[in-house]
Structures are given as C-alpha cells and as structure tokens.
Amino acid sequence: MESLQVTRLLSWKSFLNTAAKAGTTRFRATTQLGFPPLSKKATKNGFLMIRRSFTNASTGSGSSSGGTDAVSGNISSHDSSSPPVEDEKDENKPGYLLGQEKDGSGLVIGFHFIPPSGDHEVIDSSKDIDGYGVKKIEDVEGEDKAQTRVSYNIVFVTAEAAPYSKTGGLGDVCGSLPVALAARGHRVMVVSPRYFNGTAADENFTLAKDLGCCMKICCFGGEQEIAFFHEYREGVDWVFVDHPSYHRPGNPYGDINGAFGDNQFRYTLLCYAACEAPLVLPLGGFTYGEKCIFLVNDWHAGLVPVLLASKYRPHGVYKDARSILVIHNLSHQGVEPAATYKNLGLPSEWYGALEWVFPTWARTHALDTGEAVNVLKGAIVTADRLLTVSKGYSWEITTVEGGYGLHEILSSRKSVLNGITNGIDITEWNPSSDEHIASHYSIDDLSGKVQCKIALQKELGLPIRPDCPLIGFIGRLDYQKGIDLIRLAAPEILADDIQFVMLGSGDPQFESWMRDTEATYKDKYRGWVGFNVPISHRITAGCDILLMPSRFEPCGLNQLYAMRYGTIPVVHATGGLRDTVENFNPFAREGRGEGTGWSFLPLSEESMLTALRFAIRTYREHKSSWEGLMRRGMEKDYTWENAAIQYEQVFEWASIDPPYIH
C-alpha cells in the first residue's frame, strides 16, 4: 500500500474530506479529535501522531489487528527536547506528524502533515473542496512555498475605481486590490457606476462594451432601468452600471454646489445591480454564480449586505455567499430622513437595521425627532465581517472620539472586525523608474535624490540649496488634514533656515492663506493651489521631510509614497499613520538606530513643532542616521500583493462562519 502525503496546510474539515476520498487509505475521525488527550503516547514533540491501518482496497479488510482504522491523539505542549514516546506494539507502523497552526489568540486552527520518510504518493484532492472556488493542489517541495489554497469568486462593489473614477484613496484601493487578487488566482469582478461628466475622464470608459443586458429595479416608487457595460483588463472583470443619474458634470458625489441631492437613489441602484450581476452576467462565458464574496466599500455599497439578508437568502439565493464591509472613512455614513426608507425597496420589518436617531444636540430644532436611516449602520449590523484600511483605524472607530456615533455597534462586533493596511502601486511609485522625476535612484544608490531636490527647487523658483532641509505637504486643504495647525505654526516653522512646499486644494480660506504666505516668504515657501500628479511625484522625491498632521487618517498613502522615495514622514500618531511610521530611536540596535520617521502626540502646535525640530536637527547634524532612516523606509513592503494575502485570510474566516440571518 502506498503512503499518503499531503504537504499543504489543511483545516480539519478539508483534512477529513481528503482522507475520506483516498481510495487506498481509510481514516475514522473520533469526536475527541483535537480535544483533551486520548493518549499521551500518541504525541511526539508537540505534534499529533496519526496511525494508519493497511487496507485492501478491493475487500476493505485490514491487516492490522481487528481490521480497524484509528485517528487518535492530542495536541501536546511537550518541550521539543523531550524524547518521542510511541506505543511499542505500533512502533513499526507508518504514521504522520501534524505540526500545529495557531491564530493570534493561540487557538489551534489547522495542522501541517509531515509524512515519514520513504516513497510517497500525492493524493489529488482538487475535487474535494467545500468553499467558493477550486482548491489548488500543487507538488510543494518545501514548507516555505506559500500558495493560494482556495480561489474565490470576489465581487467588489464601489462608488469609484481607478483609473475609471477616482477622488481619493477609495479609488486607489478598488483599482489596485482587485488586480492583485486576480493575480493570485481568484476570479474578480468590480461593479461601479459608469460616470460621464463631459470631461476627458469620460475616455476611461471607451473600451467598456455594452453587454446588452438591461434590467428593471423596483425602488423609489417605480421601475428603474439600468444597463451593464464590461471591460476585461488585467485579469479582472470591470462591470459598469449605466443609468442617466450617473451622467452629469462634477465628481462622483457632487459639484461646485455641494453633494448631489439624489445620492441615496444613485447608490441604491448600484447596490441592486451589484447583487444581480453575479447571477445574470455571463462574463467569459459563464456567470459568477451564488458562491461569492462581496467586498462592499463604504456607505455607497452598504445596502448590499442588507439586500442579501432581506431579499435573497429568504428565498434560498446567495445562501452560501458572504459579505465583507470595508470602511475607508467612517465619517461618511449615507444618512437620510427616515421617510426615505420606503424608497429603498426593503421589507418593512427590516427598518430596524437602518434605523438611526440623532442625539438631541445634533437635531435641527426643538420639534425634530432626529429619526433617520443610516445605510452604513445597516451594513455594519448585517455584513458577515468588517474591515478597515489599517489596524489602528479598526480600534479608533470603536472609541467615542473616532466612532461618529457608531462606536457602540462597532464595539459589539469586535470579534469580526479587523484592519489591513492598504498597499501602493509600486510600479507607478518607484524612484528607480518614475517618469515624472528628474533623476532616478534606489536604496543601493541614493545619489539621484539630491538631483531631484535641486530640480524641484529650480522648478518652483526657490533658491537652489541642496543642504537646506526641504519640507513638503501634499493633501486636501481641510480640517481633517490638520491644515489649520500648519497655518498656526507656519511663522515659527519659516523662522528656521528651511524651505517649505505645499500642494493641495480645498477650503478657499486655506488656498488664500497659501498664496499670502508665498508672497510673504518668497525665498522659503511655495504653495501650489490645485492638484497635479507629476508635481506630487516631484515633491515626494525632492523633499527631505513630509509633514502629515492629520486629525484622523484611516490609512494614508502619502507617508507610504514618501518612505518608498526615501523622504522622512513626520506625522500625527493616528490611524494608519501610527501603524506605518515607526518612531526614530537613534540608540536602538547598538547605536545603529531604528525607525522610519517621527510621530507626535497630542495633536498640537507645540508637539508638531517639536517633532519637526528633531527631524531638521537630525538631517543637519547626523547624516549617517538620516541615511539609515531613508533606507529603512525604502525597505518596507507595502505592496498590494502583501495586502491581498491578508485579505485572503479574512475570506477564509468569513467562509467558516454561517452567513448573517435575521
């Protein structure tokens, strides 16, 4: 009889399935498997020993005593130096050692099969799955080769996805993460509106073809007809929902007059369309089907988990699907008057999922009851798992200060709440090949960075001073980004022998302040009002220090770009900034130092100035320490592939638990 070799990490369920399918080997699982000890003799150096009987495949008879099979043993915490103890009469029988895999809490969640020496036969268990796709079984010669074990059908639902539409980080995530997941063997669809605003951005949708599939959605007091467009690019199905409400000047959410008044209607259509797309669109010749992982992003996609639970699962549809809510910015929640609930097309008994009551102080007048519907709240209570775009932000949103009224609900779901730091596009943001910068450089040769600095000073009309500390800021000019703090501290910052460059647009009063400051400090300060991608690259490459005093920052990307370009971030220790910027310690590692920048607390003018002064002094007086800071930042791995691996773990957790049922 041939030996069974399985060299992949398997969960208990897939282990038992694999064992049952193996025609030449039979296992019997006991109800005590993985629980208190059946026999201490069955363990060996902290591993679980499995004994196998020899079975005649044709007759089913066994050559072992009694002709029975057994799986027995326990998870032992014996010291690895302890000698193995085995049952003497079974000493010559082949067995398998199972190495433990534990989660963060120490709970055993799986095992590694370690076969005995000798010739082995690999059993193909690719047909023996219980999940959302195809289990990939490969001949793995070493434990260090990580492979995607299960491929999932993944459906992103988002209001924006670069390069088709983008106003901020949400567009970056939903334009890059799907590609990274597709590259790892998953089937990925992105569902987003087909915006037309009469600008050059409309050309982004040129290659998207009409699928000829129109659909009528019952909501908002009538039937709304939508159409689907599709483009297959970089292994991803990009599906665009077409409706006249997406065709208007402005950005996806509003124009110069503010937010569009019908945004609830526009994104309700998106959610209904996203729920139907996997069922009706034959992309690549066949549909995605019901076994999907829905990744719903922010409130715009928040009705998807509510629709799955209220309108599909009660009729046996999507009973094996899972929904994961990704919160990019909790301050935007999709709150509308309670009277609009009837427009959403949801059963009346589901009103409680979206019900929201404003606190007394937030109501408009004495007779205002504060009753509203909150789409994001509905997603939080019905989604199978919750994610934020950094670990720090996942904690912050459970606090009174960071929860925006939803902290209690989020705290109640802490067991399914995780944070994964966003990645960056390392092809676009690469100092060794960036087409926007004056000189290329890398971690092995930093000489090009000073050339980028000189080119930036020349372009902006600043005195060319390679040794003068150059500080940069890139971002929206609003309260969240801490621009008011910079304005307060600017006179003291500019009193030092430094140069300061800012790029951004937003609040008109801050735009005016930037212009006035440039006129006052002509040799030290430049303010670029607006946003320009090439200039943002040149500022990131040419500056020595990047300042980010954000009040809150769910993830933040500019500090990641800065570190990749050897620019040292000085940040407020909040959200993703606290997660990604390690405070500089010059005395660590026997004086070699550690850290990638400076973070400050509390959020005040004084603490920000203190951190900046430390950075400036280190730049001037400790060149070797500064170079160490640059290199450690450039070594960091913030690729989308790294983020995709972490998302796969969340997919696995979501598939283990049953879906949300009202």
Side-chain angles (χ1 to χ4, degrees):
M1 166 169 174
E2 298 291 331
S3 299
L4 171 66
Q5 179 189 10
V6 183
T7 56
R8 298 191 57 80
L9 174 65
L10 298 175
S11 66
W12 276 115
K13 190 170 185 179
S14 57
F15 152 59
L16 293 174
N17 286 339
T18 303
K21 291 287 185 179
T24 57
T25 304
R26 295 189 295 116
F27 291 92
R28 182 181 71 236
T30 72
T31 58
Q32 294 177 310
L33 191 60
F35 287 92
L38 297 176
S39 169
K40 288 188 177 179
K41 293 182 179 181
T43 61
K44 184 175 184 178
N45 294 343
F47 295 97
L48 174 66
M49 175 66 72
I50 292 183
R51 292 298 181 193
R52 184 201 63 186
S53 67
F54 292 89
T55 306
N56 185 301
S58 60
T59 65
S61 62
S63 59
S64 64
S65 177
T68 62
D69 308 304
V71 178
S72 63
N74 72 296
I75 303 165
S76 172
S77 59
H78 293 169
D79 187 277
S80 60
S81 62
S82 302
V85 179
E86 301 183 26
D87 193 341
E88 293 182 359
K89 69 177 182 179
D90 290 338
E91 193 170 45
N92 296 322
K93 292 184 180 180
Y96 301 88
L97 293 177
L98 296 183
Q100 305 170 26
E101 184 204 15
K102 298 183 179 181
D103 64 11
S105 65
L107 180 66
V108 176
I109 59 174
F111 299 90
H112 283 287
F113 277 71
I114 305 175
S117 59
D119 297 329
H120 309 295
E121 173 188 3
V122 177
I123 301 298
D124 182 4
S125 60
S126 60
K127 296 180 180 179
D128 184 34
I129 63 170
D130 185 16
Y132 297 83
V134 179
K135 182 182 289 294
K136 295 185 176 181
I137 301 295
E138 289 134 327
D139 295 334
V140 180
E141 296 186 1
E143 299 258 344
D144 57 339
K145 293 187 178 180
Q147 303 281 351
T148 301
R149 285 172 290 161
V150 176
S151 66
Y152 296 91
N153 291 336
I154 304 168
V155 180
F156 282 76
V157 189
T158 176
E160 53 183 277
Y164 306 100
S165 54
K166 174 186 172 182
T167 63
L170 173 61
D172 285 323
V173 173
C174 295
S176 300
L177 180 58
V179 175
L181 287 167
R184 292 183 57 80
H186 304 285
R187 191 180 186 205
V188 184
M189 177 197 303
V190 179
V191 183
S192 185
R194 183 171 178 259
Y195 299 111
F196 272 83
N197 55 20
T199 68
D202 296 351
E203 297 177 5
N204 293 328
F205 297 95
T206 302
L207 298 179
K209 305 303 180 184
D210 190 345
L211 290 174
C213 178
C214 294
M215 179 179 300
K216 292 184 178 179
I217 295 173
C218 294
C219 63
F220 283 79
E223 291 185 343
Q224 317 298 332
E225 185 170 319
I226 62 169
F228 292 98
F229 284 70
H230 172 249
E231 178 183 352
Y232 184 77
R233 179 179 60 83
E234 295 188 86
V236 177
D237 291 303
W238 305 88
V239 173
F240 304 105
V241 181
D242 193 50
H243 186 269
S245 65
Y246 301 134
H247 304 168
R248 60 182 63 164
N251 64 46
Y253 314 114
D255 54 21
I256 58 174
N257 298 313
F260 296 132
D262 61 347
N263 275 342
Q264 186 190 60
F265 167 73
R266 300 166 75 227
Y267 295 114
T268 296
L269 294 182
L270 173 66
C271 294
Y272 272 95
C275 289
E276 288 295 317
L279 303 176
V280 302
L281 300 183
L283 306 178
F286 56 99
T287 65
Y288 275 58
E290 296 181 33
K291 290 187 176 181
C292 296
I293 298 282
F294 285 91
L295 271 178
V296 300
N297 295 270
D298 278 348
W299 79 264
H300 322 96
L303 279 182
V304 169
V306 182
L307 289 170
L308 294 178
S310 65
K311 302 197 73 171
Y312 287 89
R313 289 186 186 129
H315 301 284
V317 183
Y318 282 133
K319 60 184 182 299
D320 292 322
R322 301 292 186 272
S323 60
I324 299 172
L325 171 66
V326 186
I327 300 173
H328 300 260
N329 193 332
L330 190 67
S331 64
H332 303 293
Q333 301 179 5
V335 179
E336 296 288 348
T340 63
Y341 178 81
K342 65 179 184 298
N343 296 331
L344 303 178
L346 297 171
S348 58
E349 62 268 22
W350 279 82
Y351 174 74
L354 278 69
E355 183 181 16
W356 180 252
V357 179
F358 281 101
T360 304
W361 61 265
R363 300 176 190 177
T364 55
H365 52 79
L367 298 180
D368 184 1
T369 61
E371 296 179 357
V373 290
N374 186 322
V375 175
L376 186 63
K377 182 247 183 177
I380 290 170
V381 300
T382 56
D384 297 302
R385 291 200 73 91
L386 310 176
L387 277 175
T388 64
V389 289
S390 70
K391 292 181 180 178
Y393 194 54
S394 70
W395 169 79
E396 285 183 8
I397 63 175
T398 64
T399 67
V400 174
E401 295 81 3
Y404 288 90
L406 294 172
H407 55 281
E408 292 183 356
I409 296 172
L410 287 162
S411 294
S412 70
R413 302 216 67 195
K414 269 187 177 181
S415 61
V416 294
L417 173 62
N418 300 95
I420 298 175
T421 301
N422 285 339
I424 59 174
D425 186 337
I426 60 173
T427 301
E428 178 185 0
W429 292 92
N430 186 350
S432 64
S433 60
D434 192 332
E435 62 182 12
H436 300 302
I437 64 178
S439 180
H440 294 154
Y441 59 97
S442 68
I443 191 172
D444 298 318
D445 180 9
L446 296 171
S447 59
K449 185 165 176 62
V450 69
Q451 299 304 318
C452 291
K453 182 177 184 177
I454 292 171
L456 180 64
Q457 290 172 328
K458 185 176 181 180
E459 180 178 6
L460 297 179
L462 288 168
I464 298 176
R465 299 178 58 195
D467 294 328
C468 178
L470 181 55
I471 303 170
F473 170 89
I474 302 171
R476 292 193 315 275
L477 306 180
D478 62 20
Y479 183 75
Q480 179 203 335
K481 298 298 181 181
I483 189 67
D484 56 316
L485 203 64
I486 295 177
R487 182 171 68 172
L488 283 173
E492 196 161 350
I493 294 173
L494 294 168
D496 201 347
D497 185 21
I498 59 96
Q499 294 177 343
F500 197 0
V501 178
M502 295 181 64
L503 170 68
S505 62
D507 193 319
Q509 65 168 320
F510 293 127
E511 293 181 354
S512 298
W513 167 78
M514 285 172 58
R515 296 186 183 99
D516 294 341
T517 304
E518 181 174 327
T520 305
Y521 300 92
K522 293 182 179 179
D523 291 338
K524 290 189 172 184
Y525 180 88
R526 289 292 180 272
W528 187 301
V529 176
F531 190 76
N532 183 293
V533 171
I535 289 295
S536 69
H537 281 246
R538 292 199 277 273
I539 290 175
T540 302
C543 285
D544 303 299
I545 299 166
L546 184 78
L547 181 60
M548 293 186 68
S550 304
R551 277 181 167 76
F552 69 93
E553 197 68 68
C555 178
L557 293 176
N558 285 330
Q559 84 279 12
L560 304 182
Y561 300 148
M563 288 189 288
R564 180 153 174 81
Y565 279 65
T567 300
I568 310 305
V570 175
V571 304
H572 174 221
T574 181
L577 301 180
R578 176 172 50 204
D579 288 350
T580 54
V581 178
E582 182 184 354
N583 227 2
F584 176 54
N585 179 0
F587 307 108
R589 300 194 309 154
E590 300 179 351
R592 295 192 302 274
E594 66 180 10
T596 57
W598 281 266
S599 58
F600 59 87
L601 276 175
L603 182 65
S604 67
E605 178 185 355
E606 182 180 354
S607 61
M608 182 182 74
L609 286 171
T610 299
L612 265 179
R613 290 182 184 122
F614 275 127
I616 292 169
R617 182 177 177 184
T618 303
Y619 173 83
R620 286 179 176 149
E621 302 177 9
H622 305 281
K623 292 296 185 181
S624 61
S625 293
W626 192 263
E627 186 174 318
L629 279 162
M630 294 171 64
R631 293 186 186 279
R632 286 190 294 273
M634 296 176 78
E635 287 173 350
K636 292 291 184 179
D637 179 10
Y638 290 112
T639 62
W640 278 113
E641 182 181 7
N642 186 36
I645 293 170
Q646 298 176 66
Y647 270 84
E648 287 172 347
Q649 178 64 77
V650 177
F651 299 159
E652 185 175 340
W653 290 337
S655 64
I656 290 173
D657 296 328
Y660 178 87
I661 298 177
H662 187 49

